[in-house]
């Protein structure tokens, strides 16, 4: 978020005014000029600061603590502006010889501005604190107050002497000391606040403003030889500059973090608060030592103040040590526990597994489809679901188990005993998956995948078992055995060979016809990838496609498939005419749908081969788009190209009918399980018939998959299906075999 242009000029203008003031002071020591000249950049600088604070408040949400803070600071600086204008009038109309005049009206404005600034700082939220932290903060203020008192006693004596002992000097310098306290208050606020809505950099820019009062008195005495110069004017120009810089720092924080974000202090920030007593003690010791060397004695105030300061520092450090011990305990607990659920963390769990003595079993648990639930119901519901499941897991596992959240939606159990002895925990855990959990007002049923292992290296073995359980929808619990290890090694070998095979040309495409019922003429094809190694060994797609998904090679492999299929479809179109095939189908994985560049590549491929978009059908699964988000957006972009979208394996996913409302589907491919059930109960036929009826009413095409008998084909036709695919008509075929079918007059009778 860029700052408005008129706000961006605050700092340059304030800088120009401060530089102008410095130049006037340097020139004024050699050349006399009108005494009001130095007040122009001084009053202008304060006005700029007021404008910067008002603009900064306007960038925060109305009524927020940040808005109120900057408006209060703006009012305080407004009082200083009135005081500066009043002092300018005093200088213009009151004759003086020596020290410039400073009327009671002017002094009152400065004091009011100082008090308002202190109130604004004290009311700025500093974040939640323990009672020890609050006590330590109070002691910090007391340390600063005693240090300031010791310094003020010496300052007031010096200042009154410079003012020739006049009584009014007491009031003037008391006011200047109060203004100095404002600056110290800012410093203490910055160093002790654990959390503040105001940008820390902005507060640091405000801090030097507090020394403006005492510094102006010192400069007044220094400028006595040049009555046209003024100490107040010299510092007010820089008050404006520091105010503009503070506002600018806060506005940049808006741009980087948002106006509503709180600035969380790094853990080191609070530790920097320990510098307060050290600095205060050091400064007081330096002051007292200097006074003693110069005068040979100390005043009662200086001795009493130094003694009290030492007592406060000792007390403060005692409280700080107690707070540090509590903080270390908290950090240690957080390092070993999960923040959301309160369960042990992955680090604690792996440590417990490594130190387990005697027979133990590791059970790793993954919540199926948690990402889809989290995306559809929102992160709050997702967090509530994890918390509820953690409570269920703790209750079922019992006191002897180590229960951990390992990250995301994965949990771990370390159970005493061998796997067969832990069935009393694992079996109820699986059964409980059918019971709904409450998640932010939603009742959610969550299935789980569980991997179990014991013996040496049981954590790694349980991970292998869990991966296997997650890869098969019909297996909730998988126990590790040696065959799983061999399977993992096989998958690793496949992963290593995949890229080499792609570049070596070991992949090829087969095409399974889609026919029209009842006569069986070919109307389309579905493309299917096959892998034949150089040694003649065939690798099943069921083995290499999941590995390609895991490794990410599915993106490169999928791009090759789409290019090959589009090239072949364009060749059939040129050879046999535009009406030879309605469409050529290509399967697109869930991983590919998460690639935002897929629609652009498909469009480029279609254009390169001269294939109309409507002759390409992209086949997707219900699970790939159930969660919506990026995958659904990709499907919508493909549909907008004119590509047909087919919903594969319809009826086996999460919410098939719901997807028909949200996903731009053109064709429903009914899963083989419904076709197999046609010769079973009336319920099976009722479901298959209902799907066909819904598709007809929604003007969607249907394809029945897995047709293997003439009886199935005839019954499907009676139920309203007009397209089918299966071994009854043809197995996946080569390009040459498809060419024979596309010759005029050749068909496949059912």
């Amino acid at each position: 978020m860029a700052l408005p242009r008129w706000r961006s000029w605050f700092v340059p203008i304030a800088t120009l005014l401060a530089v102008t003031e410095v130049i006037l002071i340097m020139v004024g020591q050699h050349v006399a000029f009108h005494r009001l000249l130095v007040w122009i950049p001084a009053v202008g600088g304060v006005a700029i600061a007021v404008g910067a604070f008002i603009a900064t408040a306007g960038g925060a949400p109305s009524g927020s603590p940040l808005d109120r803070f900057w408006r209060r600071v703006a009012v305080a600086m407004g009082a200083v502006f009135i005081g500066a204008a009043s002092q300018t009038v005093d200088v213009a109309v009151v004759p003086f010889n020596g020290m410039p005049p400073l009327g009671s009206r002017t002094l009152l404005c400065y004091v009011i501005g100082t008090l308002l600034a202190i109130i604004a700082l004290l009311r700025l939220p500093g974040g939640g604190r323990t009672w020890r932290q609050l006590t330590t903060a109070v002691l910090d203020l007391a340390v600063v107050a005693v240090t300031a008192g010791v310094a003020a006693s010496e300052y007031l004596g010096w200042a009154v002497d410079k003012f020739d002992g006049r009584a009014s000097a007491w009031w003037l310098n008391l006011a200047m000391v109060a203004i100095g306290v404002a600056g110290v208050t800012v410093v203490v606020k910055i160093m002790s606040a654990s959390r503040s809505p105001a940008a820390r950099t902005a507060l640091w820019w405000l801090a030097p403003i507090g020394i403006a009062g005492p510094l102006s008195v010192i400069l007044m005495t220094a400028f006595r030889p040049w009555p046209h110069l003024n100490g107040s004017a010299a510092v007010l120009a820089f008050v404006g500059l520091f105010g503009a810089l503070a506002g600018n720092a806060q506005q940049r924080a808006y741009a980087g973090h948002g106006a509503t974000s709180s600035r969380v202090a790094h853990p080191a920030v609070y530790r920097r608060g320990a510098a307060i007593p050290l600095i205060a003690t050091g400064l007081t010791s330096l002051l007292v030592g200097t006074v003693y060397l110069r005068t040979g004695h100390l005043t009662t105030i200086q001795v009493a103040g130094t003694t009290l300061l030492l007592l406060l520092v000792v007390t403060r450090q005692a409280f700080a040590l107690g707070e540090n011990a509590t903080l270390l305990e908290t950090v240690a607990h957080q390092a070993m526990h999960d923040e959301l659920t309160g369960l042990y963390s992955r680090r604690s769990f792996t440590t417990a597994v490594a130190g387990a003595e005697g027979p133990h079993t590791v059970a790793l648990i993954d919540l199926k489809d948690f990402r889809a639930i989290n995306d559809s119901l929102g992160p709050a519901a997702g967090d509530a679901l994890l918390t509820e499941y953690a409570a269920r897991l703790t209750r079922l596992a019992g006191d002897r188990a180590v229960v951990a959240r390992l990250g995301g939606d994965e949990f771990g159990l370390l159970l005493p005993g061998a796997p067969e002895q832990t069935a009393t925990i694992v079996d109820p855990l699986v059964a409980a998956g059918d019971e709904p959990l409450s998640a932010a007002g939603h009742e959610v049923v969550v299935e789980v995948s569980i991997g179990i292992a014991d013996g040496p290296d049981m954590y790694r073995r349980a991970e292998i078992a869990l991966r296997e359980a997650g890869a098969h929808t019909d297996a909730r619990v998988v126990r590790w055995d040696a065959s799983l290890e061999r399977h993992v090694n096989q998958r690793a070998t496949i992963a290593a060979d995949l890229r080499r095979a792609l570049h070596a040309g070991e992949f090829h495409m087969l095409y399974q016809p889609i026919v029209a019922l009842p006569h069986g003429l070919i109307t389309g094809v579905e493309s299917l990838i096959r892998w034949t190694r150089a040694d003649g060994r065939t690798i099943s797609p069921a083995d290499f496609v999941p590995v390609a998904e895991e490794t990410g090679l599915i993106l490169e492999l999928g791009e090759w498939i789409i290019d090959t299929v589009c090239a072949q479809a364009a060749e059939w179109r040129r050879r046999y005419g535009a009406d030879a095939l309605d469409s050529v189908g290509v399967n697109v994985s869930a991983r590919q749908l998460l690639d935002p560049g897929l629609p652009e590549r498909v469009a480029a491929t279609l254009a390169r081969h001269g294939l109309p978009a409507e002759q390409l059908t992209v086949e997707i699964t219900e699970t790939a788009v159930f969660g919506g988000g990026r995958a659904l957006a990709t499907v919508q972009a493909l549909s907008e190209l004119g590509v047909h979208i087919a919903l594969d394996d319809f009826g086996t996913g999460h919410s098939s009918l719901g997807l028909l409302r949200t996903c731009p589907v053109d064709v429903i491919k009914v899963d083989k399980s419904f076709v197999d059930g046609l010769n079973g109960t009336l319920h099976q036929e009722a479901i298959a018939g209902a799907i066909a009826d819904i598709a007809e009413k929604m003007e969607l095409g249907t394809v029945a998959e897995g047709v293997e008998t003439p009886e199935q084909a005839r019954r499907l036709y009676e139920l309203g299906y007009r397209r089918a695919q299966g071994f009854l008509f043809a197995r996946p075929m080569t390009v040459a075999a498809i060419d024979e079918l596309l010759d005029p007059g050749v068909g496949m009778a059912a």
Side-chain angles (χ1 to χ4, degrees):
M1 181 181 71
L3 297 178
R5 180 172 296 182
W6 65 275
R7 293 184 185 178
S8 65
W9 282 102
F10 282 138
V11 172
I13 293 176
T15 303
L16 178 62
L17 292 173
V19 170
T20 302
E21 187 70 43
V22 172
I23 294 173
L24 288 173
I25 291 172
M26 294 175 64
V27 172
Q29 296 177 28
H30 304 282
V31 179
F33 46 71
H34 197 282
R35 67 181 63 175
L36 293 182
L37 190 58
V38 294
W39 285 95
I40 296 175
V43 177
V46 177
I48 288 293
V50 174
F53 293 157
I54 293 174
T56 304
S62 179
S64 66
L66 205 53
D67 173 50
R68 291 193 294 269
F69 170 71
W70 286 107
R71 292 194 184 281
R72 288 169 182 150
V73 175
V75 172
M77 188 59 70
V80 174
F81 172 76
I82 296 173
S86 174
Q87 190 172 1
T88 304
V89 174
D90 291 341
V91 170
V93 301
V94 177
F96 64 92
N97 183 19
M99 295 296 291
L102 188 66
S104 57
R105 177 188 64 247
T106 300
L107 188 58
L108 180 63
C109 290
Y110 286 151
V111 171
I112 290 174
T114 300
L115 292 176
L116 291 175
I118 293 175
I119 291 171
L121 289 163
L122 293 178
R123 297 190 66 180
L124 180 65
R129 297 176 182 174
T130 65
W131 69 271
R132 278 197 177 96
Q133 288 175 326
L134 288 172
T135 303
T136 302
V138 171
L139 288 171
D140 282 339
L141 286 173
V143 167
V144 171
V146 172
T147 303
V150 174
S153 67
E154 182 65 21
Y155 168 81
L156 287 172
W158 170 86
V160 171
D161 179 64
K162 290 292 182 179
F163 277 75
D164 301 325
R166 287 177 289 174
S168 60
W170 278 97
W171 296 108
L172 169 63
N173 287 284
L174 281 174
M176 295 302 103
V177 169
I179 293 173
V181 170
V184 174
T185 303
V186 178
V187 175
V188 174
K189 185 73 176 181
I190 296 169
M191 300 185 76
S192 63
S194 60
R195 186 183 181 97
S196 174
R200 187 168 298 278
T201 307
L203 293 179
W204 279 117
W205 280 121
L206 289 176
I209 297 177
I211 65 172
L215 183 60
S216 68
V217 176
I218 295 172
L219 290 177
M220 280 184 186
T221 62
F223 291 161
R224 291 183 74 171
W226 305 283
H228 51 283
L229 301 181
N230 191 286
S232 296
V235 298
L236 286 174
F238 287 90
V239 166
L241 175 59
F242 289 132
L245 289 170
N248 184 70
Q250 183 63 66
Q251 291 168 27
R252 290 190 180 279
Y254 293 161
H257 303 277
T260 60
S261 67
S262 295
R263 307 284 294 179
V264 181
H266 186 276
V269 169
Y270 189 80
R271 289 197 298 271
R272 285 201 295 267
I276 293 175
L278 298 178
I279 294 173
T281 305
L283 291 177
T284 303
S285 300
L286 180 63
L287 175 62
V288 171
T290 302
V291 171
Y292 185 78
L293 291 175
R294 183 166 54 86
T295 64
H297 68 278
L298 297 176
T299 65
T300 303
I301 293 177
Q302 291 165 346
V303 173
T306 303
T307 303
L308 179 59
L309 176 64
L310 292 176
L311 291 175
L312 288 172
V313 168
V314 170
T315 306
R316 189 265 186 210
Q317 294 302 87
F319 275 97
L321 288 174
E323 177 59 29
N324 287 342
T326 304
L327 181 61
L328 288 175
E329 292 175 1
T330 302
V331 170
H333 182 274
Q334 291 176 345
M336 303 303 287
H337 290 76
D338 174 60
E339 183 178 0
L340 176 64
T341 63
L343 300 178
Y344 285 109
S345 64
R346 178 185 290 272
R347 177 186 297 178
S348 302
F349 188 74
T350 54
T351 301
V353 171
E357 297 181 358
H360 277 78
T361 298
V362 169
L364 301 183
I365 305 159
D366 183 74
L367 307 187
K368 289 187 175 181
D369 305 320
F370 172 77
R371 178 179 295 179
I373 295 171
N374 191 67
D375 290 343
S376 58
L377 300 181
D383 289 348
L385 177 61
L386 292 174
T387 303
E388 287 293 317
Y389 189 78
R392 171 186 287 181
L393 194 59
T394 303
R395 184 177 67 255
L396 292 175
D399 297 335
R400 297 181 62 196
V402 176
V403 186
R405 181 188 175 206
L406 305 180
D409 58 350
E410 187 177 337
F411 294 83
L413 291 177
L414 177 62
L415 305 167
E420 57 272 12
Q421 297 174 305
T422 62
T424 54
I425 294 175
V426 174
D427 292 345
L429 189 60
V430 174
D434 297 327
E435 302 174 7
L437 289 168
S438 178
H442 303 276
E443 295 294 316
V444 182
V445 175
V446 181
E447 293 187 358
V448 297
S449 301
I450 304 177
I452 299 177
D454 65 338
D457 207 12
M458 55 185 169
Y459 187 91
R460 186 187 66 84
R461 291 177 173 182
E463 287 185 311
I464 295 173
L466 177 64
R467 194 177 303 120
E468 188 68 18
H472 298 85
T473 56
D474 57 346
R476 289 190 179 184
V477 182
V478 172
R479 288 179 168 83
W480 183 90
D481 58 30
S483 64
L484 284 182
E485 194 80 37
R486 290 193 297 272
H487 183 60
V488 169
N489 293 335
Q490 180 187 8
R491 289 168 73 89
T493 302
I494 291 174
D497 287 347
L498 267 173
R499 189 175 300 278
R500 178 199 56 76
L502 181 58
H503 293 293
E506 294 180 0
F507 292 101
H508 63 280
M509 302 303 299
L510 297 181
Y511 299 87
Q512 185 173 28
I514 298 172
V515 304
L517 296 177
H519 46 70
L521 290 177
I522 183 172
T523 62
V525 295
E526 177 186 355
S527 59
L528 301 166
I529 189 170
R530 295 293 183 264
W531 179 9
T532 303
R533 292 169 53 96
D535 58 8
R537 186 160 58 94
T538 299
I539 310 297
S540 168
D543 291 331
F544 72 80
V545 170
V547 177
E549 288 261 8
E550 291 176 6
T551 60
L553 191 63
I554 192 67
L555 299 178
E556 187 176 348
L557 185 60
E559 189 172 348
W560 177 86
I561 292 172
I562 293 172
D563 185 74
T564 302
V565 170
C566 287
Q568 186 58 58
E571 176 63 23
W572 282 327
R573 177 182 171 86
R574 286 190 294 270
R575 185 179 301 178
Y576 302 109
D579 298 330
L581 291 174
D582 290 343
S583 70
V584 177
V586 60
N587 290 282
V588 173
S589 72
R591 181 74 177 271
Q592 288 174 271
L593 292 178
L594 294 176
D595 178 13
L598 179 63
E600 184 178 348
R601 283 195 294 275
V602 170
T605 303
L606 292 171
R608 184 167 61 253
H609 295 294
L611 182 69
E614 61 269 16
Q615 285 204 287
L616 179 66
T617 297
V618 170
E619 299 191 13
I620 62 174
T621 62
E622 299 169 64
T623 53
V625 292
F626 170 71
R630 178 70 262 172
L632 183 57
T634 300
V635 173
Q636 290 170 338
L638 289 169
S639 179
E640 291 170 2
L641 291 177
V643 172
H644 289 168
I645 306 297
L647 202 56
D648 203 8
D649 301 331
F650 184 80
T652 62
H654 304 275
S655 180
S656 302
L657 294 179
L659 279 177
L660 298 182
R661 293 186 298 105
T662 59
C663 188
V665 177
D666 301 295
V667 178
I668 294 174
K669 300 193 73 174
V670 180
D671 188 69
K672 182 180 184 297
S673 61
F674 294 100
V675 176
D676 291 341
L678 289 179
N679 297 327
T681 65
L682 292 176
H683 295 88
Q684 298 281 9
E685 289 202 358
I687 294 173
I691 293 174
D693 186 53
I694 290 171
E696 181 182 4
K697 286 183 170 56
M698 297 185 69
E699 299 181 346
L700 301 177
T702 55
V703 176
E705 296 183 292
V707 181
E708 297 180 349
T709 67
E711 291 77 16
Q712 289 175 341
R714 283 194 292 271
R715 187 56 183 147
L716 285 167
Y717 182 74
E718 292 170 358
L719 291 174
Y721 290 88
R722 296 299 178 261
R723 303 280 178 91
Q725 177 182 355
F727 287 174
L728 172 64
F729 309 106
R731 291 178 178 274
M733 308 168 70
T734 63
V735 172
I738 297 293
D739 284 338
E740 294 181 8
L741 296 179
L742 291 178
D743 280 341
V746 179
M748 292 174 292

